[in-house]
Amino acid sequence: MINFNLTNRVAIVTGGTRGIGRGITESFLKSGARVVASYAGNHDAANAFKAQLGELGENLYLEAFDVSDASAVEEFWNRMNEQFEQIHILVNNSGIRRDNLSPIMPDEDWARVLDINLTGTFLMTKRAVNHFLSKRYGRIINMSSVGGSLGLPGQANYAASKAGIIGMTKSLAIEYAKKNITLNCVSPGFIQSNMTDKIVESIKAVLTSRIPMSKLGTGEDVANTAAFLSSDSASYITGETIHVNGGMYMA
C-alpha cells in the first residue's frame, strides 16, 4: 500500500468500516491522518475493526448515522466542528445496492439507493464545503462506479446514482475551484468486497471475462487512488473521474 503524507490531516470516510471504505480508512491512518469513519449501525463490527487496527486505531473515531438523513448529517457536522479545529478531507463512500430488473424493481428500492448513494453524497458534500470555505482548503473524493459509466443490467437505480455522482462532482468542482477545494471521483470496477461477495459465481465469471486484466481489483487499488487525490500531490486535479477497473471501461 502506498502511503502518501497526510500527517496532521483530519479525514472523514463515510461507510469507512467495511469493504472499500475500510481499505481507505486504513490507508489514511497509515499515511498519518486522523480518520472519522461513519457506519450504518453495526456497532460490534465497527468496534471490532477499530480493535484490529491496534495502535493505528487510536486515531480512528467512529460515528453511526444515516447519510441520507439531513438532520443526522447536520448533527454530525456540528459534532465535528466542535471536536476538530479543521477537517481537511471528505470521502463519500457510503453506498448500497438493491438490484433487480426494472419492471419488477420495487419503488422503495429505487428511492433508497438514490437516497443513500446520491442524496447522501450531496448532503455530506454541502456541509463539508461550508466548513472548507472558511478554511480555504478541502479535498472531496466521491465514490462512483463503473456501472455509472457503462451501465449494468439489473442496476438501473445503482447506475443512476453513480452517474449522478459524476455529474454532481464536475459541477461542484467548477463552483469551488478558486477556493482551493478540489472534488474528484474514484470509479471502481469490480473490487473484492462485501458487495461482490454476494454475486453468484457464474455471474462473477462472466463479469471477470469482460475485464482485460481478467481479475477483480482489490480495496488497496482503490485506497491508493483516494489517498493520492487527498494529498498535496493532486492539488491541481479537480473535476476528474479516475477509473480503477482493470480496463473494463476506458473513458
Side-chain angles (χ1 to χ4, degrees):
M1 183 174 288
I2 301 171
N3 294 332
F4 291 91
N5 185 8
L6 300 179
T7 304
N8 298 322
R9 296 287 194 263
V10 177
I12 294 169
V13 182
T14 67
T17 64
R18 298 177 59 192
I20 289 174
R22 177 182 179 135
I24 294 171
T25 295
E26 289 189 45
S27 175
F28 283 10
L29 289 169
K30 290 177 181 178
S31 296
R34 288 178 289 169
V35 180
V36 180
S38 81
Y39 61 101
N42 189 333
H43 304 297
D44 291 340
N47 287 316
F49 168 52
K50 181 179 173 71
Q52 290 165 9
L53 290 169
E55 291 184 2
L56 283 176
E58 296 175 4
N59 286 321
L60 174 63
Y61 308 84
L62 299 173
E63 288 276 346
F65 68 99
D66 181 350
V67 297
S68 71
D69 183 331
S71 296
V73 169
E74 182 174 2
E75 291 171 3
F76 165 77
W77 275 98
N78 288 340
R79 290 195 299 274
M80 294 302 98
N81 288 327
E82 291 177 0
Q83 187 168 356
F84 300 103
E85 181 178 347
Q86 183 172 359
I87 308 295
H88 303 86
I89 302 160
L90 168 64
V91 181
N92 285 306
N93 172 73
S94 287
I96 63 170
R97 279 179 36 223
R98 291 185 179 176
D99 299 351
N100 220 324
L101 295 177
S102 57
I104 56 174
M105 179 180 289
D107 292 346
E108 56 268 26
D109 285 358
W110 169 271
R112 190 58 180 155
V113 169
L114 269 290
D115 283 347
I116 294 288
N117 299 4
L118 183 56
T119 301
T121 295
F122 173 74
L123 292 173
M124 287 294 294
T125 298
K126 179 180 179 180
R127 290 305 302 260
V129 166
N130 287 333
H131 176 90
F132 293 159
L133 283 172
S134 66
K135 308 297 182 181
R136 296 193 67 83
Y137 181 92
R139 300 286 180 263
I140 299 176
I141 294 91
N142 293 328
M143 301 303 296
S144 184
S145 166
V146 67
S149 300
L150 189 61
L152 294 170
Q155 292 190 348
N157 50 0
Y158 185 76
S161 70
K162 294 301 184 177
I165 286 172
I166 293 174
M168 179 179 68
T169 300
K170 290 180 178 180
S171 297
L172 296 179
I174 296 170
E175 289 184 23
Y176 301 108
K178 293 182 180 179
K179 305 298 184 182
N180 197 28
I181 300 171
T182 64
L183 294 96
N184 293 287
C185 284
V186 176
S187 184
F190 289 101
I191 307 297
Q192 294 172 359
S193 68
N194 293 327
M195 280 191 177
T196 56
D197 288 344
K198 296 176 182 178
I199 300 174
V200 298
E201 289 302 319
S202 59
I203 295 177
K204 191 180 295 185
V206 173
L207 294 173
T208 303
S209 71
R210 298 173 62 184
I211 303 171
M213 286 189 174
S214 299
K215 63 178 182 179
L216 300 184
T218 67
E220 188 173 308
D221 295 323
V222 181
N224 288 338
T225 306
F228 165 66
L229 290 173
S230 301
S231 73
D232 291 338
S233 298
S235 62
Y236 198 56
I237 300 174
T238 195
E240 292 297 324
T241 298
I242 299 182
H243 297 276
V244 185
N245 59 37
M248 184 178 180
Y249 174 81
M250 303 181 190

